[in-house]
């Protein structure tokens, strides 16, 4: 009996040690940037082809998606900081930065666009002291901005045809970019940054990151 207890203790200790090392690895190096397996079966489930804001010949949806992937490839560490130029420049960031850098690569400078929209309709935003360097990095502010300036789509995951790569999805306390890849059930993966301990930046989390309150497409 004592031998069994000892073995159990050693096993539990080993698992705890491995888990601790893994958590330290995630904390130091960040989530995985490896892209998940793609189970898409329909061609039109890919990337949306609405508009070309920066005139580079690439649809906005593809630009947003590719720019978001380029941003997370740098493996930013999760931490909220203030930046005098708005956009993080030191390897740190939060969920809104995935969206901001994705949109920036498509020609949509959310720092400027959000600031201008707050000035145009301050009553629509819960911003008491506007600050262009941080307002566009707040989930609730972005939700209002996209509701006013982007194409609003279904929040129901069952409406598979309405979910395409490069779309923006807003949760109650989170935001991310819809991937062009899908899981075996046909639900797109989510490109996001939720914490220092998440396993991957692009993961099967669209249906388990909280209540979806907005689904938008820049046009």
């Amino acid at each position: 009996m004592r031998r069994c207890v000892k073995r159990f203790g050693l096993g539990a200790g080993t698992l705890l040690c491995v888990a601790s090392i893994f958590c330290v690895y995630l904390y130091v190096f960040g989530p995985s940037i490896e892209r998940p397996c793609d189970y898409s079966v329909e061609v039109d489930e890919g990337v949306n082809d609405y508009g070309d804001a920066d005139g580079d010949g690439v649809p906005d949806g593809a630009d947003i998606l590719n720019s978001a992937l380029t941003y997370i490839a740098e493996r930013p560490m999760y931490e909220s900081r203030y930046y005098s130029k708005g956009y993080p420049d030191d390897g740190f960031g939060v969920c809104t930065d995935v969206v901001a850098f994705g949109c920036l690569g498509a020609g949509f400078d959310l720092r400027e666009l959000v600031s201008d929209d707050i000035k145009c309709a301050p009553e629509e935003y819960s911003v008491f002291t506007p600050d262009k360097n941080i307002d566009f990095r707040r989930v609730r502010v972005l939700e209002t901005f996209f509701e006013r300036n982007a194409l609003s789509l279904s929040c129901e995951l069952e409406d598979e045809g309405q979910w395409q790569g490069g779309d923006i999805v807003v949760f109650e306390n989170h935001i991310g970019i819809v991937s062009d890849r899908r899981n075996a059930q046909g639900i797109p993966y989510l490109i996001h940054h939720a914490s220092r301990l998440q396993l991957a930046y692009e993961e099967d989390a669209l249906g388990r990151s909280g209540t979806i309150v907005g689904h938008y497409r820049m046009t």
Side-chain angles (χ1 to χ4, degrees):
M1 181 67 178
R2 290 181 179 176
R3 184 177 298 176
C4 290
V5 172
K6 185 176 182 180
R7 287 179 177 176
F8 177 80
L10 288 173
T14 300
L15 287 175
L16 181 60
C17 182
V18 171
S20 298
I21 293 174
F22 184 61
C23 287
V24 170
Y25 175 85
L26 287 176
Y27 191 85
V28 173
F29 296 102
S32 168
I33 59 175
E34 183 176 349
R35 301 205 69 189
C37 294
D38 186 11
Y39 295 91
S40 299
V41 294
E42 297 291 342
V43 175
D44 61 2
E45 288 179 350
V47 181
N48 79 68
D49 57 0
Y50 285 76
D52 182 12
D54 58 3
D56 64 352
V58 179
D60 291 332
D63 266 341
I64 291 174
L65 174 66
N66 292 331
S67 296
L69 290 172
T70 297
Y71 169 68
I72 63 171
E74 299 174 357
R75 301 186 80 166
M77 302 301 296
Y78 190 91
E79 188 171 314
S80 180
R81 297 182 175 185
Y82 180 89
Y83 299 90
S84 60
K85 295 183 179 180
Y87 291 92
D89 57 5
D90 58 358
F92 291 93
V94 291
C95 64
T96 51
D97 296 315
V98 177
V99 175
F101 278 104
C103 287
L104 187 63
F108 300 105
D109 185 344
L110 293 183
R111 178 173 179 258
E112 298 296 332
L113 293 173
V114 169
S115 178
D116 290 344
D117 204 47
I118 291 176
K119 292 176 183 177
C120 288
E123 70 282 357
E124 298 292 330
Y125 291 86
S126 298
V127 177
F128 300 104
T129 306
D131 182 343
K132 69 186 300 182
N133 293 324
I134 193 65
D135 292 335
F136 77 108
R137 300 179 66 219
R138 302 185 190 280
V139 173
R140 294 280 71 82
V141 171
L142 286 182
E143 180 188 1
T144 300
F145 174 79
F146 290 128
E147 186 66 31
R148 287 172 46 79
N149 298 278
L151 177 65
S152 183
L153 300 165
S154 173
C155 292
E156 302 299 323
L157 296 179
E158 291 77 11
D159 297 331
E160 294 184 15
Q162 289 211 23
W163 295 87
Q164 295 185 327
D167 287 354
I168 297 158
V169 57
V170 182
F171 304 90
E172 291 180 324
N173 297 296
H174 191 43
I175 192 169
I177 300 290
V178 177
S179 170
D180 60 334
R181 297 189 175 191
R182 295 176 180 252
N183 65 18
Q185 288 70 49
I187 297 175
Y189 296 108
L190 178 67
I191 302 170
H192 68 142
H193 198 183
S195 77
R196 282 201 176 192
L197 297 180
Q198 75 183 78
L199 299 180
Y201 292 102
E202 183 177 6
E203 57 185 356
D204 190 2
L206 188 57
R208 51 185 178 84
S209 292
T211 301
I212 297 175
V213 297
H215 172 200
Y216 306 100
R217 185 170 298 159
M218 293 298 287
T219 60

